[in-house]
Amino acid sequence: MNRSRQRALFIAIVLLTAPAVRAQQAAPDPPGDDGNGKANDEDARSTGLPSTINWRFNFDAGWGTFGFANSLYNNPKDPGVQENLSDQWFEGYIKPALSASYTVASSSEIYGKVSAVAERTYGSVPEPFGLDVSSFQVEDLSIGWRSGKSVRGGDNVLDFTVGRAQYRLGHGFLLWDGASEGGSRGGFWTNARKAYQFAAIARIQPGRQKVETFYLDKDELPEGDSGSRLWGLNYEFTLGPGNSTTLAATYMKWAAHADLRPGRDGLNVFNVRTYTAPLPTVPDLSFEFEYASERNADALDSNAWTLQGGYEFKKVTWKPTLSYRYAFFQGDDPATPANESFDPLFLGFHDWGTWWQGEIAGEYFLSNSNSISHLIRAHIVPTDSISGGLMFYKFTLDHPQAFGPAVTDKNVAFETDAYVDWKANKNFTISLVGAYADPGKAVQQSSGRTKNFAYGMAYVGYSF
């Protein structure tokens, strides 16, 4: 969003709160308590914000250290962005946020949010920017209205948001992350920024149905700004006991700088998906299916789809979950004049392995294009505060020559990831990851790399 839009949104939020400020009259601070039942005015401190508005303050932060052996690094998240993370680096961020909502007499609400993110990466060497890269900028800056009980059909049947805001579609297969990181901003892995540079979202949700229309303009890196933006229409319907099944369909129309992203400029995207636990007698069995079609004449004509099945043993100690997922992202066929290389769009992180596939391959050299993956995952929950698991990936190519002119083999890598998440208390979460990958002949033919990859990560997250 340019500065004039940010200024207009800020003024709108200020004007929104101004009537409540004028309505207040000067009054003494409410008394505190010194522990002996006596008033202590010095301990009773006011925020100074209008009391007729519901305020919420959040503070998030994260710090991580990352180590690679025999790395094969590029930036699959922002193709064309030159970056050279070292074999050992450290990154962190802080994100303060203030949200507000004001309920009017009809029970509808006006709400807004403002936040900022500061990130820094230490020990990486992106040559154009120096040894350490940092940035500080506005993240959320939005205002909205929801209907509350003022419209028949349920709570908040109508909801409208405009400004710098987040939006996600399903489990992030196509749309989730509205801002780029790494490069000149730092923070390649932490993913603290998710808000779009500009978003306008309208939602109608009567009962089990939801209809959304949206316009999204991604906040891309300055050195890799392709002008990518879109508008779309999304429909979802839930059914079954406990809304155990979701059926959804989405259409999107894209635009971009034609000289940088010819396949994305004018692109039509069609998406269908379902998440379901279809058997009431076997609620632990679940399935996911998603399909995407990208159509833009010869500039882009591609498909992607994924199918996953899982079973959670809820009555067994540690509640193990076993799942298998197949994912296909079409690659370009050099024998045809059309471009069939699937565009990953604005995917995001839903869970480990989704939708950055693999802590080595998907995070550091393999994008969701010209890729076929098989994932077997075992997840356990030993305690309420500890969970972890193992993931086994087999990566192959759809069209080897699209991976490199000398590549004839489809095998990219076999990767094993181990992860542990420990919620130390209500504020701190610690994540540990160890990963190992054996490069296939496709990697050897494209880069000459034959050594195995090894990777380790320790990450601490704080949320208030």
Side-chain angles (χ1 to χ4, degrees):
M1 188 190 304
N2 58 37
R3 291 185 176 180
S4 62
R5 284 179 176 172
Q6 294 180 11
R7 190 179 301 112
L9 277 170
F10 179 76
I11 293 172
I13 294 173
V14 171
L15 291 176
L16 187 66
T17 62
V21 173
R22 289 194 297 269
Q24 287 189 318
Q25 296 181 354
D29 292 335
D33 192 312
D34 64 359
N36 297 313
K38 297 180 181 179
N40 185 344
D41 289 340
E42 291 183 357
D43 290 342
R45 303 180 62 185
S46 170
T47 62
L49 298 173
S51 60
T52 54
I53 296 176
N54 181 30
W55 301 94
R56 180 181 178 88
F57 174 74
N58 295 96
F59 182 84
D60 295 293
W63 303 269
T65 181
F66 308 81
F68 234 132
N70 307 316
S71 61
L72 181 67
Y73 178 80
N74 61 33
N75 189 334
K77 301 180 180 182
D78 292 278
V81 173
Q82 297 300 313
E83 203 161 359
N84 180 25
L85 289 175
S86 63
D87 286 345
Q88 168 66 45
W89 75 97
F90 177 88
E91 63 186 51
Y93 79 94
I94 59 172
K95 180 181 178 181
L98 181 64
S99 303
S101 63
Y102 176 72
T103 303
V104 301
S106 66
S107 83
S108 65
E109 286 185 340
I110 301 171
Y111 61 90
K113 183 176 182 180
V114 59
S115 70
V117 170
E119 283 186 299
R120 184 158 189 161
T121 299
Y122 304 84
S124 64
V125 195
E127 293 181 359
F129 312 111
L131 295 179
D132 295 331
V133 184
S134 63
S135 63
F136 178 83
Q137 68 180 48
V138 173
E139 169 66 356
D140 300 278
L141 184 62
S142 63
I143 190 168
W145 175 85
R146 47 184 170 243
S147 59
K149 298 181 182 298
S150 63
V151 176
R152 295 180 60 183
D155 291 343
N156 298 320
V157 173
L158 302 178
D159 194 340
F160 305 95
T161 304
V162 63
R164 291 187 63 100
Q166 300 182 28
Y167 178 79
R168 79 181 197 185
L169 194 66
H171 289 174
F173 188 70
L174 300 176
L175 289 184
W176 188 314
D177 200 344
S180 297
E181 292 174 287
S184 59
R185 289 178 179 167
F188 177 83
W189 189 92
T190 48
N191 199 35
R193 296 184 174 96
K194 298 181 181 66
Y196 289 87
Q197 180 172 278
F198 182 77
I201 306 159
R203 182 177 296 114
I204 304 174
Q205 192 166 349
R208 296 190 172 198
Q209 300 185 78
K210 179 166 68 175
V211 180
E212 297 173 316
T213 183
F214 51 87
Y215 173 84
L216 307 171
D217 186 350
K218 187 169 183 178
D219 185 8
E220 299 180 276
L221 291 172
E223 65 270 28
D225 191 350
S226 67
S228 295
R229 57 204 183 275
L230 69 142
W231 68 266
L233 183 66
N234 177 53
Y235 174 77
E236 298 180 9
F237 178 67
T238 58
L239 65 157
N243 295 331
S244 58
T245 295
T246 298
L247 305 175
T250 305
Y251 168 76
M252 293 175 274
K253 182 70 173 182
W254 288 72
H257 298 321
D259 55 334
L260 298 177
R261 288 278 193 167
R264 191 174 287 182
D265 187 45
L267 178 65
N268 298 282
V269 178
F270 305 89
N271 171 246
V272 293
R273 60 194 181 278
T274 181
Y275 316 118
T276 180
L279 303 176
T281 57
V282 191
D284 294 348
L285 180 65
S286 63
F287 297 95
E288 295 185 13
F289 171 76
E290 191 153 359
Y291 168 77
S293 170
E294 298 180 335
R295 297 291 179 263
N296 192 11
D298 282 352
L300 184 56
D301 187 351
S302 190
N303 302 278
W305 64 277
T306 180
L307 177 64
Q308 176 176 307
Y311 191 91
E312 181 181 4
F313 299 84
K314 292 181 179 178
K315 297 181 180 180
V316 177
T317 303
W318 291 12
K319 300 178 182 178
T321 299
L322 298 177
S323 61
Y324 167 78
R325 185 183 75 197
Y326 175 87
F328 170 84
F329 299 90
Q330 190 172 353
D332 182 44
D333 184 353
T336 67
N339 173 27
E340 297 95 357
S341 182
F342 189 80
D343 187 338
L345 304 177
F346 300 161
L347 66 142
F349 180 85
H350 169 66
D351 191 5
W352 291 110
T354 310
W355 269 104
W356 302 111
Q357 299 188 77
E359 289 301 301
I360 293 177
E363 289 280 359
Y364 299 102
F365 71 86
L366 190 66
S367 68
N368 288 351
S369 183
N370 191 28
S371 173
I372 301 171
S373 69
H374 303 265
L375 168 62
I376 296 175
R377 181 182 180 185
H379 180 77
I380 57 173
V381 186
T383 71
D384 291 340
S385 60
I386 298 176
S387 63
L390 292 171
M391 298 188 293
F392 304 94
Y393 288 94
K394 175 64 176 178
F395 294 105
T396 60
L397 300 171
D398 181 35
H399 287 285
Q401 283 190 316
F403 195 68
V407 179
T408 59
D409 196 275
K410 290 188 174 184
N411 292 301
V412 177
F414 181 83
E415 178 175 337
T416 301
D417 297 349
Y419 63 92
V420 175
D421 294 314
W422 173 38
K423 191 166 181 59
N425 55 41
K426 65 179 183 179
N427 301 110
F428 282 96
T429 300
I430 299 172
S431 297
L432 303 174
V433 171
Y436 174 88
D438 181 16
K441 286 188 176 180
V443 171
Q444 298 172 21
Q445 292 171 347
S446 65
S447 66
R449 180 61 53 82
T450 59
K451 294 182 178 179
N452 294 324
F453 308 128
Y455 173 80
M457 182 200 81
Y459 184 79
V460 178
Y462 176 84
S463 182
F464 171 79

